């Protein structure tokens, strides 16, 4: 009786337990291409193999797909695996592939017969292709509004998939600003409104930053292949994906086509390997599954897919030069000040001539036809101007070096603190807030310490806080470094360089000048009669036109300089003497 009861109670208990021991990586071997379905199921397209050796399928209908991965990480395996499973759907007219290959066709030119649209050389043609996709979107919105909410692909109204390889070439690296804005506007409309009307975008890129792809969050489905930085994993798969196991930045070298995807219904990432499609497979697929002859029936086919890039007139550019701020460059471009003009001699007064040195012949002055400076090849003003220009150049170079070191060191120090905060569960904006608080607090405390020392106030508390925040900054720099002496030193270099640079700049700041002395009143100044210091004037004898034999000039004894005269206050006229206009010394 008890046995019967136990048999009923434990009827679900397993009698045999299988234990699987994994001795190698299940994804190390290449994955062959999957069979091509006669009618593709857009909700389950087989593309990759999971770690449990089951097949991972992509839900393509009513979604956009973003593939992020570094160079040589296998982005082509993802794109060609998708094109392969859609082959029979392309041949039957159930869908259309519009392909943009900014690399000149190096990736997709082999499959050209399968594509209804193909642009690879002209960025104008790529922009036209995206504009036509927007036109299809608008037409379907007008036709399907009030009828259905999600488009159903048919041969009459096929699914349009826009495949873009190296998307950053269109959104960030294109030099034509107007064309780049036009492409960005079309992509924004397709990503925000195209999923429901059957105009989908599948894009691949290497750098997933917001600066490169501003509408990254408009891709619902994302695939992360091998990446170069840990922060890029969360950029591709979403916040916290790396903490949940998506170690896409630690891919081994053999893992071409291995990546992480997010499974439906769970936030945990799954590691998969996409099938490898060889060049022979692509040629066979292009020959077996070409696009229909009327594949361009949605819109008139533009004949610019293989046209050369149009010639554009070069934009006016400023003269090339050093990368300096405009204010500093204007200061350097200013001409040197003109030399001071010596006051002219008043009419009726003879010119004073400097006595000649003993043993040297007399040299006439420049005003009488003599050389400007017979014994000095360089004028003092010219030497002074050269020294000023040299000092300006050195100041400009120091400013450029200061900005470069400060920018790079500050960015590295801020990034270390931000990454440490994010790695310990904080959101991105709190990570940047921590970086700003830690790094700028040390600078503020240094300024406060200096101000208190000048004012003679106690500095104990400020100095303690300065040491504490400096140690906290260094600890944040070396927290995720390699556990070695050199690893710690290299990680701490940006923070130390940033603090040292701030210290040098503050030490060069001019101190507060002392108050200027109050000038004495005019009545307290000693009055000196200018008649007590007569001017020494050497009269020039009239020239003798009679021919004489050359004679050696006798040395002239040096004259004793007269004591310097003090001018009376401005506006005061000395008695018994005309008003003084100027003195020639």
């Amino acid at each position: 009786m008890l046995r019967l009861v136990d048999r009923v109670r434990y009827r679900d208990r397993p009698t045999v337990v299988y234990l699987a021991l994994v001795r190698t990586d299940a994804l190390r071997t290449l994955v062959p291409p999957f069979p091509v379905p006669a009618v593709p199921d857009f909700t389950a397209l087989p593309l990759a193999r999971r770690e449990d050796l089951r097949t991972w399928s992509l839900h393509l209908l009513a979604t956009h797909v973003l593939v992020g991965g570094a160079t040589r990480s296998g982005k082509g395996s993802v794109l060609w695996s998708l094109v392969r499973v859609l082959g029979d759907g392309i041949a039957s007219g159930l869908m259309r592939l519009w392909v943009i290959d900014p690399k000149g066709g190096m990736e997709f030119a082999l499959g050209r017969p399968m594509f209804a649209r193909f642009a690879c050389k002209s960025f104008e043609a790529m922009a036209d292709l995206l504009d036509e996709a927007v036109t299809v979107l608008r037409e379907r919105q007008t036709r399907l509004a009030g009828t259905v909410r999600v488009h159903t692909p048919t041969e009459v109204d096929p699914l349009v998939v826009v495949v873009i390889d190296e998307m950053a070439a269109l959104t960030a690296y294109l030099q034509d600003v107007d064309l780049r804005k036009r492409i960005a506007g079309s992509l924004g409309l397709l990503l925000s409104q195209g999923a429901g009307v059957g105009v989908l975008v599948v894009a691949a890129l290497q750098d997933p930053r917001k600066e490169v792809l501003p509408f990254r969050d408009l891709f619902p489905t994302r695939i992360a292949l091998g990446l170069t930085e840990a922060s890029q994993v969360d950029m591709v798969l979403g916040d916290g994906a790396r903490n949940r196991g998506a170690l896409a930045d630690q891919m081994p070298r053999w893992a071409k086509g291995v990546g992480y995807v997010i499974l439906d219904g769970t936030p945990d990432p799954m590691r998969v390997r996409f099938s490898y499609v060889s060049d022979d497979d692509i040629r066979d697929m292009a020959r077996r599954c070409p696009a229909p002859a009327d594949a361009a029936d949605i819109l008139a086919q533009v004949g610019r897919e293989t046209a050369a890039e149009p010639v554009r007139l070069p934009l006016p550019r400023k003269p090339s030069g050093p990368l300096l701020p405009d204010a500093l460059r204007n200061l350097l471009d200013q001409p040197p000040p003109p030399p001071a003009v010596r006051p002219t001699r008043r009419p009726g007064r003879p010119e004073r001539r400097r006595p000649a040195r003993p043993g040297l012949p007399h040299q006439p002055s420049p005003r009488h036809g003599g050389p400007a400076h017979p014994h000095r090849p360089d004028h003092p003003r010219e030497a002074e101007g050269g020294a000023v220009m040299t000092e300006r150049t050195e100041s400009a170079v120091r400013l450029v070096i200061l900005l470069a070191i400060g920018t790079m060191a500050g960015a590295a120090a801020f990034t270390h603190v931000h990454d440490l905060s994010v790695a310990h569960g904080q959101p991105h904006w709190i990570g940047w807030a921590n970086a700003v608080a830690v790094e700028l607090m040390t600078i503020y405390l240094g300024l406060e310490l200096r101000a208190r020392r000048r004012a003679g106030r106690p500095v104990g508390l400020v100095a303690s806080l300065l040491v504490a925040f400096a140690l906290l900054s260094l600890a944040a720099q070396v927290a995720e470094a390699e556990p070695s002496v050199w690893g710690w030193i290299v990680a701490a270099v940006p923070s130390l360089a940033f603090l040292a640079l701030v210290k040098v700049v503050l030490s060069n700041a001019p101190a507060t000048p002392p108050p200027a002395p109050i000038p004495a009143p005019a009545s307290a100044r000693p009055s000196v009669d200018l008649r007590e210091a007569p001017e020494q004037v050497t009269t020039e004898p009239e020239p003798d036109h009679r021919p004489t034999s050359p004679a050696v000039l006798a040395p002239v004894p040096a004259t004793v300089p007269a004591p310097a005269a003090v001018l009376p206050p401005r506006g005061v006229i000395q008695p018994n003497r005309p008003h003084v206009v100027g003195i020639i010394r």
Side-chain angles (χ1 to χ4, degrees):
M1 188 64 180
L2 293 178
R3 289 180 181 178
L4 293 176
V5 173
D6 291 341
R7 186 177 301 177
V8 174
R9 289 178 59 190
Y10 303 112
R11 62 182 180 274
D12 296 333
R13 176 180 295 179
T15 57
V16 180
V17 178
Y18 293 92
L19 182 62
L21 300 177
V22 180
R23 302 179 59 184
T24 184
D25 196 330
L27 302 179
R28 191 174 183 89
T29 59
L30 290 177
V31 178
F34 292 91
V36 180
V39 178
D41 183 4
F42 297 113
T43 61
L45 298 173
L47 299 184
R49 177 186 295 168
R50 297 167 40 165
E51 285 184 308
D52 55 4
L53 303 183
R54 291 192 292 177
T55 301
W56 178 78
S57 300
L58 172 67
H59 185 105
L60 182 62
L61 190 63
T63 188
H64 304 292
V65 182
L66 176 65
V67 182
T71 305
R72 313 301 300 173
S73 61
K75 296 187 294 296
S77 297
V78 182
L79 298 178
W80 278 115
S81 297
L82 176 61
V83 174
R84 176 181 170 81
V85 298
L86 296 175
D88 285 351
I90 296 173
S92 64
L94 191 60
M95 65 161 304
R96 302 285 190 266
L97 278 183
W98 294 10
V99 178
I100 296 177
D101 188 358
K103 294 187 295 186
M106 292 301 297
E107 184 66 36
F108 284 99
L110 288 177
R112 177 63 182 91
M114 304 179 65
F115 309 144
R117 299 282 194 280
F118 184 61
C120 63
K121 294 182 180 180
S122 173
F123 286 102
E124 291 280 356
M126 299 176 193
D128 292 341
L129 188 150
L130 295 174
D131 290 344
E132 291 176 2
V134 174
T135 304
V136 174
L137 180 148
R138 296 300 190 193
E139 186 273 335
R140 289 187 176 179
Q141 284 179 338
T142 303
R143 178 163 46 88
L144 300 178
T147 305
V148 294
R149 292 191 300 171
V150 178
H151 170 265
T152 301
T154 61
E155 294 182 3
V156 179
D157 200 9
L159 180 70
V160 177
V161 179
V162 181
V163 180
I164 306 175
D165 189 23
E166 299 299 341
M167 193 175 188
L170 304 179
T171 59
Y173 307 146
L174 183 58
Q175 296 181 357
D176 192 332
V177 179
D178 296 334
L179 195 59
R180 187 168 69 239
K181 291 181 179 179
R182 175 184 166 192
I183 292 174
S186 299
L187 285 174
L189 291 174
L190 293 175
L191 292 172
S192 60
Q193 305 177 24
V197 296
V199 182
L200 312 180
V201 177
V202 177
L205 80 166
Q206 300 181 25
D207 190 352
R209 293 178 301 168
K210 279 285 189 180
E211 295 82 1
V212 177
L213 188 62
F215 26 78
R216 181 186 66 209
D217 296 334
L218 298 179
F219 287 90
T221 304
R222 306 180 192 178
I223 301 172
L225 301 177
L227 298 170
T228 57
E229 298 178 5
S231 59
Q232 293 181 353
V233 180
D234 293 344
M235 295 180 187
V236 177
L237 297 179
D239 292 341
R242 191 177 186 277
N243 295 334
R244 293 192 296 269
L247 303 179
D249 58 310
Q250 299 180 6
M251 288 289 187
R253 294 184 177 180
W254 57 262
K256 302 294 188 298
V258 179
Y260 288 88
V261 296
I262 302 297
L263 300 180
D264 295 336
T266 174
D268 296 331
M270 169 64 72
R271 196 165 72 110
V272 299
R273 182 160 192 170
F274 292 86
S275 62
Y276 174 70
V277 183
S278 63
D279 293 349
D280 295 335
D281 295 333
I282 296 174
R283 294 188 185 96
D284 179 70
M285 179 173 49
R287 182 178 61 254
R288 187 173 50 85
C289 303
D294 57 347
D297 57 351
I298 299 179
L299 285 174
Q301 171 74 358
V302 292
R304 288 193 292 262
E305 285 86 354
T306 58
E309 185 73 16
V311 179
R312 301 183 181 88
L313 296 177
L315 298 177
R317 302 181 63 181
K318 297 181 179 179
S320 60
L323 299 177
L324 302 177
D326 293 340
L328 180 59
R329 185 161 50 188
N330 295 336
L331 180 62
L332 295 178
D333 292 341
Q334 290 180 358
V341 180
R342 302 180 63 183
T344 57
R345 182 167 47 90
R346 288 190 300 175
R349 298 195 61 176
E351 179 186 3
R352 294 188 301 169
R353 306 183 65 178
R354 184 178 300 176
R357 297 182 181 178
L360 296 177
H362 175 70
Q363 297 286 350
S365 64
R367 282 178 289 184
H368 294 276
H373 298 283
H375 303 293
R376 291 181 297 171
D378 297 329
H379 197 275
R381 291 191 181 92
E382 297 178 1
E384 182 181 358
V388 171
M389 291 302 297
T390 303
E391 184 178 357
R392 290 178 178 177
T393 304
E394 292 179 357
S395 300
V397 173
R398 289 172 58 191
L399 178 60
V400 172
I401 295 176
L402 176 69
L403 294 177
I405 295 177
T407 301
M408 300 307 296
F414 277 53
T415 304
H416 283 166
V417 179
H418 166 265
D419 294 345
L420 181 63
S421 300
V422 173
H424 287 76
Q426 298 297 324
H428 282 280
W429 73 271
I430 294 183
W432 290 119
N434 292 339
V436 172
V438 172
E439 298 300 331
L440 296 187
M441 181 60 76
T442 55
I443 301 176
Y444 174 76
L445 292 175
L447 295 173
E448 181 67 18
L449 183 66
R450 184 175 178 180
R452 293 197 175 200
R453 285 182 176 176
R454 286 199 302 263
R457 298 166 57 190
V459 297
L461 177 60
V462 178
S464 302
L465 293 176
L466 177 61
V467 173
F469 274 92
L471 293 178
L472 180 60
S473 176
L474 290 178
Q477 309 304 317
V478 303
E480 296 186 356
E482 180 183 352
S484 63
V485 177
W486 278 112
W488 296 331
I489 293 176
V490 171
V493 162
S495 180
L496 294 177
F498 189 65
L499 294 177
L501 191 65
V502 173
K503 177 64 178 177
V504 171
V505 172
L506 292 179
S507 62
N508 291 335
T512 304
I518 301 176
S523 59
R525 298 177 182 174
S527 61
V528 178
D529 192 357
L530 296 179
R531 288 177 295 180
E532 297 178 0
E535 299 179 354
Q536 294 184 359
V537 179
T538 303
T539 60
E540 181 179 0
E542 297 181 359
D544 190 4
H545 299 285
R546 294 177 301 174
T548 57
S549 58
V552 179
L553 297 177
V556 180
T559 60
V560 179
V566 179
L567 295 178
R570 183 176 300 178
V572 178
I573 299 179
Q574 295 288 334
N576 302 327
R577 184 175 177 87
H579 179 62
V580 178
V581 177
I583 296 178
I584 300 177
R585 298 176 181 174

